[in-house]
Amino acid sequence: MEKELETHPLVVGLGNRLGAHRVKVISNPLHPDQAFLLLFIEKNVPVTAVMTLGLSDYKMPVLDSWKGREHNEIYFCLPSFWELDDMSNPNFAWPFDWIYRLEKFVREKNTWFGPGHTIPTGNPAVQLSEQAKHDYLFFSGPLFLEEELAPLAIKNQTIYFLGIIPIFGEELDYKMGKGTQKFLKRFVAKGFDERIDEYRPSVMKSRMYFF
C-alpha cells in the first residue's frame, strides 16, 4: 500500500515543500488498513508529524461560513524522541490509535472537523494514557508548523491542515465559556502549541513561586 501511495498528490506536494526525504508513507501499525504520513521536520526543535493521507479526498460538509475549507488533513505533532516503533507501550501508541479513530469517525458520520472543534476521549472522558492525562482533543490550525503546513493548493482545491492538541476538561470549560479565540490566545501566551507534551500543565493553573 505504501508504494502505491507515494505518488498521491498530497505526498508529492508536501515532498516538494519539505523535501521528499522528509515525507514517508507508512501503514498504521495498529490499524494496517489506514495509511498515513510521517513528516520529519527539522526546525530549531525537530518534530515528527503523524498525518492522515487522503482524508482531504473527502469533501467535508462544512457550514456556509467555512466554505472553501472542505478539504483537510489532520495531524499529531510528536517530539523527536517519541518511540514510533514501540506500539506495545500505550504511552507511545495512543496517537496512532486516535488518528485512525478520528479519520474513521469523520467519514462514517459524514461530518466535519474545523479549527476550534473539540472531541472527548470517551463517555465519560478518560485520560489519553498513563502519562498524558488530557481527556479531550482540540483542533487548531498549525501553530508551531504554521509555515511548513500552510494551506496547500492541489488539483484545483486547497488542502488545510489541522493539528490535534490534547487538552484538559477545565480547559474545555474555559473554551466553551469564553470562546475558542480567548482560549487559544491564553494557550499560546503560555508558550504552548500543537507539539505533544504529555506533562503540559493546564493553562488554567497559575504557577506558584516560593521564596
Side-chain angles (χ1 to χ4, degrees), residues 26-200:
I26 72 167
S27 295
N28 189 324
L30 297 180
H31 304 279
D33 57 317
Q34 180 194 42
F36 60 71
L37 293 178
L38 294 179
L39 307 179
F40 303 100
I41 301 175
E42 300 169 12
K43 301 189 69 166
N44 58 324
V45 179
V47 296
T48 302
V50 178
M51 178 183 289
T52 52
L53 171 54
L55 179 58
S56 56
D57 296 334
Y58 161 63
K59 186 176 181 179
M60 295 186 181
V62 301
L63 300 177
D64 289 342
S65 57
W66 290 93
K67 290 294 184 183
R69 294 199 56 151
E70 296 92 346
H71 302 281
N72 297 272
E73 300 286 351
I74 59 177
Y75 69 94
F76 284 106
C77 186
L78 306 179
S80 59
F81 61 78
W82 202 271
E83 294 291 342
L84 300 174
D85 298 322
D86 190 1
M87 293 298 100
S88 63
N89 186 338
N91 289 315
F92 293 125
W94 64 263
F96 300 88
D97 184 40
W98 269 104
I99 201 164
Y100 174 82
R101 292 166 68 178
L102 290 170
E103 178 173 4
K104 184 177 181 182
F105 172 82
V106 75
R107 289 180 181 273
E108 289 186 351
K109 299 299 184 181
N110 191 32
T111 187
W112 66 289
F113 293 144
H117 285 187
T118 311
I119 300 291
T121 56
N123 185 19
V126 295
Q127 64 188 51
L128 289 165
S129 72
E130 181 181 356
Q131 293 180 357
K133 301 185 185 302
H134 317 82
D135 45 6
Y136 290 85
L137 297 171
F138 172 77
F139 290 94
S140 169
L143 300 169
F144 183 69
L145 298 178
E146 181 178 13
E147 179 179 347
E148 292 80 4
L149 296 180
L152 185 64
I154 295 178
K155 295 174 60 177
N156 299 319
Q157 67 186 37
T158 300
I159 297 175
Y160 289 82
F161 301 97
L162 291 170
I164 311 165
I165 302 175
I167 66 172
F168 297 99
E170 61 183 2
E171 293 175 322
L172 172 68
D173 292 342
Y174 181 85
K175 168 190 169 289
M176 297 298 290
K178 300 294 186 179
T180 295
Q181 292 308 312
K182 284 192 174 181
F183 165 69
L184 199 54
K185 183 178 180 179
R186 184 166 185 161
F187 186 83
V188 172
K190 293 283 188 178
F192 302 133
D193 49 45
E194 74 266 36
R195 286 175 290 177
I196 299 299
D197 179 357
E198 299 163 292
Y199 303 104
R200 176 185 73 78

